């Protein structure tokens, strides 16, 4: 954490969504738009899955994989 404080991270990662499958991208964008990443959360996986008409476990897996692909792109040099 000390090294993050001393540097100004640039979190702009153009094209990071292109690394995702269409289902991962749709899940991530839906989650973002519905407030899943806000605090407190405005939505949860169960509500998102119902809205997207997919099983909850499927949506959770798409989100997990999308997050796992994007985080290294955003934080790779800082991790």
């Amino acid at each position: 954490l000390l090294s993050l404080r001393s540097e100004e991270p640039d979190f702009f990662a153009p094209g990071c969504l292109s690394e995702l499958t269409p289902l991962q991208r749709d899940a991530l964008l839906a989650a973002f738009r519905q407030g899943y990443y806000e605090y407190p959360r405005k939505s949860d996986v169960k509500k998102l899955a119902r809205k997207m008409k997919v099983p909850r476990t499927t949506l959770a897996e798409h989100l997990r994989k999308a997050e796992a692909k994007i985080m290294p792109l955003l934080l790779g040099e800082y991790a």
Side-chain angles (χ1 to χ4, degrees):
L1 289 176
L2 293 176
S3 65
L4 285 177
R5 289 182 189 167
S6 65
E7 299 176 22
E8 288 286 326
D10 179 11
F11 291 107
F12 179 68
C16 67
L17 291 181
S18 66
E19 298 293 318
L20 306 177
T21 67
L23 293 174
Q24 291 169 352
R25 186 187 65 244
D26 292 347
L28 192 67
L29 290 174
F32 180 78
R33 289 177 182 142
Q34 296 299 313
Y36 178 77
Y37 292 106
E38 294 180 23
Y39 183 82
R41 286 189 170 155
K42 294 182 178 179
S43 190
D44 58 27
V45 174
K46 188 176 180 179
K47 290 178 189 174
L48 286 168
R50 200 175 319 129
K51 189 168 189 144
M52 294 182 71
K53 299 178 182 169
V54 296
R56 180 191 52 79
T57 54
T58 300
L59 179 64
E61 185 69 12
H62 287 313
L63 284 176
R64 187 193 65 74
K65 287 183 177 182
E67 293 164 355
K69 285 182 181 178
I70 286 180
M71 292 309 288
L73 297 172
L74 294 176
L75 302 173
E77 66 184 75
Y78 300 100

